[in-house]
Each structure stands twice: as C-alpha cells, then as structure tokens.
Amino acid sequence: MKIIELLKEKRGVSFEFFPPKNQKDKDILLETARELSGYNPIFVSVTHGASGYQNAQKPPIEYTKETVLELKNTLKLNVMAHLTCIAHTKDELLEFLSFYRKNDIDNILALRGDIPKNGERRGCTHAKELIELIKEHFDEEFCIGVAAYPEGHPESPNMEWEIKYFKQKVEAGASFAITQMFFDNSYYYEFLDLCHKANIDIPIIPGIMPITNIKQISKFASMCGATIPSYITDALENLSEEDVIKKGVEIAINQCEDLIKNGVRHIHFYTLNRSKATLNILKALKL
C-alpha cells in the first residue's frame, strides 16, 4: 500500500534494514524484522546495497531486490525499496522499477547515492531527475519518498541552498520525506519551520538511530552531516559496551518523547538489522 495514504490515516513507526550478504546475516535480519513487526510498522525500508558490497558475489542491487521480496512475501510487510541513481544508467533504473512494479512494490525512496570513486555519473545526477524519470514512465504507480537533511547535506553550502533543492524534489513528485539521523531535535524543528516558510507541506518523518556503538555512529554521522552534541559524547565517554547501549537507548527515548510531545505522528528507526535497542525504545514509549 502507498505510504502516503497510511501516513494520512494513522500514527505509527517504520524501520530501515539493509540487505544481508550471507545466510547468517539473512537469518539475523529476518528475526529482527519478525520481532519488530509486532509493532505493526506502517512500512519497512531496504537500503540500496552500495559501499561494502563491491566484492560481493552479485551486483549490490540484487541483494536489495531479494530482501525486499523476502520481507514482503514471507513477513507480509509493506516494503519500500531504496533506489540510488547516480551509478546506474536510466535503462537500468527503469529495469529495476519494472521489477518492483511487477512484484507489487508500491513505494520507492528516490536517492542520488554516493558519487562513485572514479567520479563517473552514469544515470541521473540528482534525486530530482530520478523522480522525474519515475513519473515519466510510471506516472502515479509508485509513491515516492526522498531524503531530508535537517542539518543540511554535506555538500550543501547553507540551509537556503538545502531547502531550495529539497523543494525541487517535492515539486518533481515526492510525496513524503525521511530525515537523515539527527541527535538534537532543534535541527528537526528548525528544518520544519524552513519548509513551512518555503510552502513545502509533505510529511517529513524524523529518522532516529539509537547509539549502540559510539565509534560506528560517529562515522555514520560524519558521512551524512549530522552533529552529535557534546553532552551526548560526554555521557558516553569511558562507558562499557553494555552501558553505551543502555545510555544510547535512554537518549533515544528522551528524543522520541520530545518529538511526540511536539506533535510528531511518525518515527522512522535506523535499526542496523538489530532489534534490541529499538524494541527497548518502543516498549518505553508504549507505542
């Protein structure tokens, strides 16, 4: 079912997974998805395999396609496939979209993707062009989501530029957005205010990543331009691995409680294919 229709109807949560490359990781993913499915997610999303899949036995997109169908057919979840465009030709992109359409996948997260190390840009240069491609060939068959950057994309010179290009994606046909991770809610609220002033009125779902490994999360944050406030890094300093997870969950609970108190109806969790931290957050929130 199209995500935008579900967002209009009810409050809820959603979860992001990444495609596993072997049977062991696949078993972990399916168990995680089963546990989280008890919270009746509005949707789950599957990332477009890219970095980390260069030496895989199959093209990265094949792992994504397999995972999308596994979650849809085995667990009966409403699945959104991530699709990055910069490293694929337009013919390849249309082939992927046709595959999803034939398999009754209604939702696509349209992304540019990381620029290849060789600098080659094979298909669409920006997510906006991918959205236009989808609209041209599939009209209203897909519900299209996009990424939002509350602190600005790492390549954005300022927030004025960020809002300008975000609006272009909306005008091209995006129905909703999911933010990159953020740890200070003021960035999200300020981003919503900028969008309101720019007459952008699509749902913008906050993306929350529980901190379970400070080194790993710091790397992810630097890649997407997110700031980890000093009060968080100070709180996690010198803690054991177990205590980092507990404190990270506590921080995420407080963050989500504040979002809900301020009227947020939907929260998207970056799970890293593990359920424990997200389950603890959901239990505390009594969602």
Side-chain angles (χ1 to χ4, degrees):
M1 187 172 181
K2 290 185 176 180
I3 290 170
I4 188 60
E5 300 303 324
L6 296 170
L7 294 177
K8 292 176 182 176
E9 293 175 4
K10 60 182 181 178
R11 298 171 179 268
V13 295
S14 55
F15 308 113
E16 179 184 286
F17 305 116
F18 63 84
K21 291 184 291 184
N22 56 56
Q23 188 60 46
K24 178 183 177 181
D25 289 344
K26 179 180 176 180
D27 292 341
I28 292 172
L29 167 62
L30 289 177
E31 181 60 26
T32 295
R34 284 192 188 95
E35 291 179 330
L36 293 174
S37 67
Y39 282 86
N40 298 313
I42 292 175
F43 66 93
V44 299
S45 69
V46 180
T47 64
H48 185 121
S51 58
Y53 289 78
Q54 295 93 334
N55 298 320
Q57 296 178 341
K58 294 176 286 190
I61 185 64
E62 296 303 319
Y63 292 93
T64 297
K65 289 157 64 177
E66 289 174 4
T67 305
V68 165
L69 295 190
E70 185 81 48
L71 294 173
K72 175 183 178 292
N73 297 328
T74 301
L75 300 183
K76 310 303 179 185
L77 295 169
N78 189 34
V79 188
M80 175 174 66
H82 291 213
L83 184 59
T84 64
C85 61
I86 199 166
H88 297 290
T89 66
K90 289 185 178 181
D91 285 343
E92 288 173 337
L93 293 170
L94 292 174
E95 179 185 339
F96 304 151
L97 290 163
S98 294
F99 171 85
Y100 289 131
R101 195 63 246 131
K102 289 175 183 177
N103 285 280
D104 297 321
I105 300 300
D106 297 322
N107 306 288
I108 297 291
L109 189 69
L111 305 164
R112 184 197 72 178
D114 297 332
I115 298 174
K117 291 182 179 180
N118 62 9
E120 182 183 8
R121 304 178 185 220
R122 303 183 63 208
C124 304
T125 304
H126 300 287
K128 176 180 77 76
E129 295 175 31
L130 174 57
I131 298 168
E132 292 169 341
L133 184 73
I134 296 172
K135 288 293 184 181
E136 178 185 355
H137 292 270
F138 295 90
D139 194 23
E140 300 299 321
E141 294 184 65
F142 288 108
C143 174
I144 303 172
V146 292
Y149 295 82
E151 299 179 60
H153 188 279
E155 297 172 22
S156 298
N158 52 56
M159 289 307 296
E160 180 181 359
W161 188 97
E162 183 66 37
I163 294 297
K164 173 184 175 182
Y165 283 92
F166 181 61
K167 186 171 184 177
Q168 288 184 2
K169 292 191 288 187
V170 175
E171 291 175 338
S175 295
F176 69 97
I178 302 172
T179 75
Q180 282 287 0
M181 72 177 84
F182 58 90
F183 300 94
D184 182 339
N185 286 354
S186 65
Y187 288 114
Y188 176 71
Y189 300 139
E190 290 166 7
F191 185 78
L192 292 184
D193 186 54
L194 290 172
C195 288
H196 177 71
K197 291 176 180 177
N199 296 313
I200 298 170
D201 61 359
I202 65 170
I204 301 173
I205 305 171
I208 303 300
M209 180 174 283
I211 297 175
T212 55
N213 180 310
I214 187 62
K215 184 177 180 179
Q216 180 187 47
I217 300 301
S218 295
K219 179 181 178 181
F220 291 157
S222 66
M223 290 171 62
C224 69
T227 301
I228 302 180
S230 59
Y231 69 83
I232 290 181
T233 55
D234 290 346
L236 298 174
E237 189 175 9
N238 298 322
L239 293 182
S240 66
E241 182 178 338
E242 182 179 354
D243 286 340
V244 165
I245 295 173
K246 289 180 180 178
K247 189 65 179 179
V249 166
E250 177 187 324
I251 290 167
I253 290 169
N254 292 335
Q255 186 179 7
C256 291
E257 287 178 337
D258 181 76
L259 290 169
I260 293 169
K261 183 178 71 175
N262 282 278
V264 169
R265 301 177 71 245
H266 311 98
I267 299 177
H268 187 70
F269 290 94
Y270 296 106
T271 70
L272 300 180
N273 288 11
R274 297 293 190 276
S275 62
K276 184 177 180 180
T278 304
L279 282 171
N280 287 337
I281 294 165
L282 295 172
K283 289 174 184 176
L285 297 175
K286 300 180 180 178
L287 295 178

